[in-house]
């Protein structure tokens, strides 16, 4: 299962955990969820260039459209994943510019 650019558009931290829980429902025990988000540095740059309005822990990228953005690091995704019952796979993935990504595993029953 792949979850790309979902967590960083949810303004509610609880909704981020629920999104990971929802993704895990589609994965068998022992299966993997790959999560990709925009990294905090990328969002901070975009917010400065786009003159985005601060909102909660992120920014309205378009207040009129109600679009939210927040940079999320792999460490934060790991913390959210643990609340959702998923475990990070250490050493998985390659560095990619502008994004954070992590591979998670659904525990065996």
């Amino acid at each position: 299962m792949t979850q790309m650019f979902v967590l960083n558009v949810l303004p509610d931290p609880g909704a981020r955990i629920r999104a990971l829980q929802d993704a895990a429902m589609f994965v068998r025990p022992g299966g993997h969820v790959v999560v990709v988000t925009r990294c905090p540095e990328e969002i901070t740059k975009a917010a400065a260039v786009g003159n985005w309005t601060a909102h909660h822990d992120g920014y309205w990228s378009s207040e009129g459209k109600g679009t939210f953005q927040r940079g999320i690091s792999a460490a934060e995704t790991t913390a959210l994943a643990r609340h959702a019952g998923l475990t990070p796979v250490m050493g998985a993935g390659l560095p990619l510019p502008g994004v954070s990504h992590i591979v998670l595993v659904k525990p065996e029953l």
Side-chain angles (χ1 to χ4, degrees):
M1 162 63 89
T2 303
Q3 188 184 69
M4 296 186 69
F5 307 117
V6 172
L7 299 183
N8 55 281
V9 300
L10 299 172
D12 174 25
R16 296 173 196 144
I17 294 169
R18 287 188 300 279
L20 289 168
Q21 290 169 329
D22 290 347
M25 288 188 338
F26 292 96
V27 178
R28 64 174 170 69
H32 294 89
V33 177
V34 177
V35 179
V36 180
T37 62
R38 290 180 70 187
C39 69
E41 300 80 17
E42 186 70 20
I43 293 296
T44 300
K45 281 193 279 184
V49 170
N51 200 27
W52 294 353
T53 304
H55 179 73
H56 294 300
D57 61 357
Y59 301 91
W60 288 120
S61 54
S62 173
E63 212 166 340
K65 293 179 184 176
T67 53
F68 176 85
Q69 290 286 331
R70 180 189 195 299
I72 298 181
S73 67
E76 183 177 354
T77 301
T78 297
L80 293 168
R82 288 195 168 116
H83 286 290
L86 298 167
T87 306
V89 175
M90 296 302 161
L94 299 170
L96 299 171
V99 301
S100 297
H101 68 290
I102 188 165
V103 178
L104 306 167
V105 66
K106 183 176 183 176
E108 299 281 343
L109 296 175

